[in-house]
Amino acid sequence: MRDSEQIVNHAQKFCLENGLRLTKKRRQVLKALVESPFALSAYELRELCKTECDEMLPPMSIYRILDFLQEAGFVHRLNVSNRYTACSHIACEHEHLFSQFLICVKCKMVTEIDIPDLTIKNMKNDAASAGFELESPQLEINGICFTCKNRAA
Amino acid sequence: MRDSEQIVNHAQKFCLENGLRLTKKRRQVLKALVESPFALSAYELRELCKTECDEMLPPMSIYRILDFLQEAGFVHRLNVSNRYTACSHIACEHEHLFSQFLICVKCKMVTEIDIPDLTIKNMKNDAASAGFELESPQLEINGICFTCKNRAA
DNA sequence: TAATTTATGATACTACATATCATTTTGAGA
DNA sequence: TCTCAAAATGATATGTAGTATCATAAATTA
Ligand SMILES: [Zn+2]
Ligand SMILES: [Zn+2]
Ligand SMILES: [Zn+2]
Ligand SMILES: [Zn+2]
């Protein structure tokens, strides 16, 4: 898990540069999310932190830490499943646009992609035709990843 | 509210033709949903039914009724907000494709539109590029309806 | 060091949802 | 019409996601 350490270190650096504090517990929660291929609920994170560090954070703390991590842009909330996933762009100089999350119904793996401009444009038009102005959308879509699909075949 | 009666009657007719039973309580819940411009939670529906008919259904019943109404295609569940909304196509011969729900952040009004083929195609391509095969998507998008937008201006 | 801000903990509670078992209602067949 | 089985609904308890509130601890700043 060298990899996840590195990503978390990027986050740490970002925090230092921006007057944010990536405390021990926040680091711990972020690390758990970075290492998980699938999204985790607040209470699942709580269990994970317990097995990792043998200390049970109260729910409130978990939610506050998740709020912080979201504010800082390290973590996204999947609204459909009430779960949290680390942003894929913590360690890169990626300008963060609107995200689409592809969730495999078999293995639950989450993949974060940017919504292409063309797709956004289409969706804006679709909405406008119905008398609506789109807000910055976040899409959460179920499907099946090619790994699982190939395994099935 | 003649209008909602008529829609519910369509549902009734559909049920008769298909060996389903639109019982009194199911009718009542469906009517409440048809008349509401915004989506309702199970517990909000419970309150509504109480004020309408002075009888408090247990949560389990509400959820079972909602399951039935969804099965029958009269009602959709908005997964992001845990709320329910009547299908816009109960009383028309519309072939039901994949739905997109536009939710106004001001007035909470829900508008159901079909996702245009082009948009679906784009999204399928976007997903495929990331090693994913899309499942039948349901999109729930926040925005602002033109009514609210004009009021603001 | 004292004062202030920021982070975390503890307790209790609300909202959404389901498991399980009991009772009522309905419709089909004798 | 009576009987029985299936379908629908009710009651009780419980699980899970999330928040309100007030208290304490840790880190900054003066
Ligand atoms: Zn991201
Ligand atoms: Zn998969
Ligand atoms: Zn519909
Ligand atoms: Zn509106």
Side-chain angles (χ1 to χ4, degrees):
Chain A
M1 290 289 162
R2 259 343 34 207
D3 227 32
S4 70
E5 294 276 336
Q6 231 177 323
I7 291 171
V8 175
N9 286 340
H10 265 272
Q12 187 100 53
K13 194 175 142 235
F14 177 88
C15 284
L16 276 173
E17 287 163 0
N18 291 84
L20 301 173
R21 295 188 215 161
L22 191 62
T23 62
K24 211 166 186 173
K25 314 210 169 188
R26 286 169 176 174
R27 243 189 105 98
Q28 187 179 324
V29 171
L30 178 57
K31 185 154 171 287
L33 284 171
V34 167
E35 290 177 358
S36 176
F38 48 86
L40 296 166
S41 77
Y43 283 79
E44 284 166 352
L45 273 165
R46 207 178 164 216
E47 290 300 323
L48 256 179
C49 288
K50 185 184 158 199
T51 46
E52 291 287 314
C53 313
D54 204 48
E55 88 179 299
M56 197 70 151
L57 299 181
M60 204 53 241
S61 292
I62 295 279
Y63 281 106
R64 277 189 290 227
I65 287 169
L66 287 168
D67 284 348
F68 169 85
L69 295 173
Q70 284 178 91
E71 275 300 301
F74 302 144
V75 161
H76 299 289
R77 180 173 198 273
L78 301 186
N79 296 311
V80 169
S81 57
N82 301 326
R83 281 174 161 72
Y84 301 82
T85 185
C87 178
S88 314
H89 309 303
I90 295 177
C92 64
E93 295 305 319
H94 187 92
E95 199 209 341
H96 208 287
L97 305 168
F98 305 135
S99 289
Q100 177 166 1
F101 298 94
L102 307 169
I103 300 131
C104 177
V105 294
K106 291 274 183 215
C107 70
K108 304 295 174 196
M109 187 184 68
V110 175
T111 305
E112 179 183 358
I113 64 176
D114 282 334
I115 312 180
D117 286 345
L118 179 61
T119 302
I120 293 267
K121 208 176 128 215
N122 280 328
M123 291 182 56
K124 281 198 172 153
N125 285 338
D126 300 349
S129 305
F132 241 79
E133 181 175 283
L134 230 63
E135 272 203 345
S136 55
Q138 165 171 308
L139 302 183
E140 301 167 33
I141 310 280
N142 287 322
I144 184 161
C145 74
F146 287 177
T147 309
C148 286
K149 199 187 167 194
N150 293 335
R151 204 184 336 261
Chain B
M1 290 291 159
R2 263 331 45 201
D3 226 33
S4 69
E5 294 275 336
Q6 230 177 322
I7 291 172
V8 174
N9 285 341
H10 266 272
Q12 188 101 54
K13 195 173 142 236
F14 177 89
C15 284
L16 276 173
E17 287 163 0
N18 292 84
L20 301 172
R21 295 186 213 165
L22 192 61
T23 63
K24 211 167 186 172
K25 316 210 167 188
R26 287 169 175 173
R27 244 189 105 98
Q28 187 179 324
V29 170
L30 178 57
K31 186 155 170 288
L33 284 171
V34 167
E35 290 177 358
S36 175
F38 47 87
L40 297 166
S41 76
Y43 283 76
E44 284 166 352
L45 273 166
R46 207 177 165 217
E47 290 300 324
L48 257 178
C49 288
K50 185 184 160 200
T51 46
E52 290 289 314
C53 313
D54 204 48
E55 86 178 299
M56 197 70 153
L57 300 180
M60 204 53 240
S61 292
I62 296 278
Y63 282 106
R64 276 188 291 228
I65 287 169
L66 287 169
D67 284 348
F68 169 85
L69 295 173
Q70 285 178 90
E71 275 300 301
F74 302 144
V75 161
H76 298 289
R77 179 174 200 272
L78 301 186
N79 295 311
V80 169
S81 57
N82 301 324
R83 281 174 160 71
Y84 301 82
T85 186
C87 179
S88 313
H89 308 304
I90 295 177
C92 63
E93 295 303 321
H94 186 94
E95 197 209 342
H96 207 290
L97 304 168
F98 305 134
S99 289
Q100 177 167 0
F101 298 95
L102 307 169
I103 301 131
C104 177
V105 294
K106 291 273 184 215
C107 69
K108 304 295 174 197
M109 186 185 69
V110 174
T111 305
E112 179 184 359
I113 64 176
D114 282 335
I115 312 180
D117 286 346
L118 180 60
T119 302
I120 292 268
K121 209 177 128 213
N122 280 329
M123 291 181 55
K124 281 197 172 152
N125 285 338
D126 300 348
S129 306
F132 241 78
E133 181 175 284
L134 229 64
E135 271 202 346
S136 55
Q138 165 171 308
L139 301 183
E140 301 168 33
I141 310 280
N142 287 323
I144 184 161
C145 74
F146 287 176
T147 309
C148 286
K149 198 190 168 192
N150 292 336
R151 200 182 341 256

